[in-house]
Amino acid sequence: MPGAASRQDASEHRRTYEDIRQIEMRPVQQIEDIKKEAGAVSATDSKSVEEFRIKYLGTKGIVKNIMGEMKNVPNDKKKEFGQVLNEFKLFVENKYDELKAGSGNEQQSSSGMDLTLPGDPMPLGSRHPITLMKNRVISIFHRLGFSVAEGPEIEDDWHNFTALNLPPHHPARDMQDTFYVHQNPDWLLRTHTSNTQIREMEKGKLPIRVICPGRVYRNETVSARSHCFFHQIEGIYIDENVSFADLKQTLYFFVKEMYGKDVKVRFRPSYFPFTEPSAEMDISCFICGGVGCNICKKTGWVEILGCGMIHPNVLQNCHIDPNKYSGYAFGMGIERPALLKYDINDIRLFSENDLRFLKLMVHRVRSFMQVCKLSPGE
Ligand code: 2NL
């Protein structure tokens, strides 16, 4: 039966072909098996990693060994086998690198550090409410051409009192009682940042347009509403022909930027030894809009700063000719507006470093910034 014989031949032929193919592909299968085995290795210390290297990548290692098989592969299969071999080599090398990196960390971990762990998230804080208020004031005056100056908190009597038309025994000194330094009766903790403006004026460079933020001190009983230290920003502008109208316009611009376009202002005559004339400036209450609430004590107005034209005696004390130059000055506290703005009921909280308060402030400042469309730092 020629047909049956030829079928048998064909099947024999097929078998032979399968066999040959199996023989040819044996190294490929072998490689797959070795790959699986190598891939499953999990070395935890450098000794096992080195053992892995020797076994697979060493001069008498498996990779080299299989490479040697290349000469037995028929020519028409060399290309295919070469590719498989290269992939295998790369696989083992990558695995080795992986193990090496892992065992490095294991070593670190035995010394108490695991560099593969994700880092601790940096807790996101917020600027202190006093700093935020200060920065806002600075940025508004910056746009009007004012620079910022800072001065010493421990000051001598001249720069804090006498130069400001407050000679010894002046009754207004009573209201600014402060702390004195034992070693030198002339030294004290400054009661306002005017000391810094006096120092700027003494430099003799005119015109001057400067604001001076900083911490100041008073001999006061500490309570929820007053403290023996707090923060202030003062400013002066000295040039030829500076008038009270300049002062009013500047401060008007300032409050509009600070408290919004709808705010109303009023000036009330006042007295400060260092300015003449002097005034206090109120704004329509930014809590109730002027209708009357507890904050403005039902008056509709909130006092925010004191100001006036610099007294000629003060100019003279700093060797500035009052017949040629004139200037205005103003000063405001930072704590009180911050208390109102962030709805805080105790001034002591600002300086107690109580993390619960500071964390609470993060939320109030954020929501306030969102409402006012401000960016961080403003
Ligand atoms: C207030 C009032 C004020 C000044 C501060 C000043 C500074 C110099 C010369 C003249 Cl160098 N005046 N500063 C003027 C008027 C008022 O502050 O209630 N501060 C919280």
Side-chain angles (χ1 to χ4, degrees):
M1 291 204 305
S6 69
R7 262 203 305 279
Q8 194 181 354
D9 282 354
S11 88
E12 260 170 24
H13 173 77
R14 223 175 6 251
R15 211 170 30 241
T16 320
Y17 175 80
E18 282 299 319
D19 288 349
I20 293 167
R21 189 166 161 75
Q22 263 182 22
I23 292 161
E24 277 173 357
M25 295 318 282
R26 201 172 289 148
V28 176
Q29 188 54 52
Q30 249 179 5
I31 287 174
E32 279 307 311
D33 292 345
I34 298 169
K35 226 169 142 177
K36 264 191 208 140
E37 185 195 291
V41 172
S42 61
T44 50
D45 53 276
S46 51
K47 191 168 162 264
S48 328
V49 176
E50 182 58 8
E51 277 166 15
F52 179 93
R53 189 192 67 76
I54 293 167
K55 180 173 176 187
Y56 289 95
L57 297 164
T59 39
K60 289 180 187 154
I62 291 173
V63 171
K64 276 266 158 61
N65 227 335
I66 301 178
M67 291 276 193
E69 288 287 310
M70 194 68 164
K71 60 180 184 294
N72 302 326
V73 176
N75 279 344
D76 61 329
K77 298 282 169 204
K78 269 196 164 53
K79 196 174 164 208
E80 190 190 342
F81 188 70
Q83 265 174 2
V84 175
L85 209 64
N86 270 338
E87 266 171 39
F88 171 64
K89 190 169 174 251
L90 261 175
F91 175 84
V92 177
E93 279 170 353
N94 283 344
K95 177 73 189 181
Y96 172 60
D97 286 344
E98 226 175 76
L99 292 174
K100 216 164 44 170
S103 89
N105 290 330
E106 273 304 315
Q107 274 182 350
Q108 292 281 10
S109 109
S110 66
S111 68
M113 246 204 291
D114 182 354
L115 299 179
T116 62
L117 287 174
D120 288 334
M122 191 95 104
L124 198 59
S126 155
R127 286 197 167 80
H128 193 280
I130 298 294
T131 309
L132 287 170
M133 287 294 286
K134 183 187 83 173
N135 287 353
R136 285 198 70 202
V137 177
I138 289 174
S139 101
I140 295 167
F141 280 101
H142 187 74
R143 279 183 276 145
L144 291 170
F146 284 76
S147 52
V148 177
E150 292 194 66
E153 290 181 25
I154 302 173
E155 188 52 282
D156 55 42
D157 183 279
W158 169 259
H159 291 96
N160 193 78
F161 288 129
T162 308
L164 281 147
N165 208 25
L166 275 154
H169 314 297
H170 191 290
R173 281 198 182 205
D174 277 357
M175 279 159 33
Q176 296 197 15
D177 190 20
T178 183
F179 302 97
Y180 289 81
V181 178
H182 232 307
Q183 287 87 340
N184 189 335
D186 196 44
W187 291 346
L188 49 87
L189 298 189
R190 68 177 178 189
T191 58
H192 41 206
T193 58
S194 308
N195 69 326
T196 310
Q197 285 112 286
I198 294 292
R199 288 176 177 277
E200 287 298 306
M201 287 154 77
E202 283 177 339
K203 287 180 183 165
K205 256 185 83 186
L206 290 162
I208 299 174
R209 197 158 31 183
V210 73
I211 53 168
C212 307
R215 184 180 289 189
V216 301
Y217 301 82
R218 300 276 166 98
N219 186 4
E220 296 246 359
T221 308
V222 176
S223 73
R225 299 190 62 79
S226 70
H227 211 294
C228 59
F229 59 80
F230 50 97
H231 297 78
Q232 253 197 348
I233 297 194
E234 289 203 9
I236 51 167
Y237 175 34
I238 305 173
D239 201 348
E240 294 180 34
N241 303 315
V242 175
S243 72
F244 201 90
D246 296 322
L247 168 64
K248 285 179 79 172
Q249 200 55 43
T250 304
L251 294 180
Y252 195 41
F253 174 82
F254 164 68
V255 291
K256 292 229 168 215
E257 290 296 303
M258 190 79 183
Y259 295 100
K261 292 269 173 285
D262 299 328
V263 75
K264 293 185 185 64
V265 299
R266 73 177 187 187
F267 287 82
R268 284 178 291 107
S270 185
Y271 169 78
F272 303 109
F274 27 85
T275 44
E276 181 60 34
S278 305
E280 250 146 336
M281 185 181 170
D282 299 342
I283 59 168
S284 50
C285 180
F286 53 85
I287 305 294
C288 64
V291 179
C293 65
N294 283 342
I295 299 298
C296 60
K297 299 193 192 84
K298 310 260 188 279
T299 64
W301 295 97
V302 187
E303 182 193 316
I304 58 154
L305 55 82
C307 58
M309 299 305 292
I310 300 175
H311 197 290
N313 289 355
V314 177
L315 293 174
Q316 234 151 15
N317 286 340
C318 302
H319 314 293
I320 294 171
D321 181 358
N323 296 314
K324 186 170 177 205
Y325 291 101
S326 56
Y328 63 69
F330 54 87
M332 66 189 105
I334 299 181
E335 269 79 354
R336 225 178 90 79
L339 285 171
L340 297 177
K341 182 169 278 192
Y342 302 118
D343 197 18
I344 303 162
N345 58 11
D346 193 326
I347 196 171
R348 290 170 291 198
L349 288 165
F350 284 134
S351 52
E352 276 173 352
N353 276 346
D354 186 333
L355 275 180
R356 290 168 304 176
F357 166 75
L358 295 171
K359 277 185 184 145
L360 187 68
M361 283 302 104
V362 174
H363 301 293
R364 296 221 184 138
V365 167
R366 287 224 182 103
S367 59
F368 180 81
M369 285 186 1
Q370 272 160 13
V371 169
C372 298
K373 298 189 176 64
L374 297 169
S375 52
E378 275 196 288

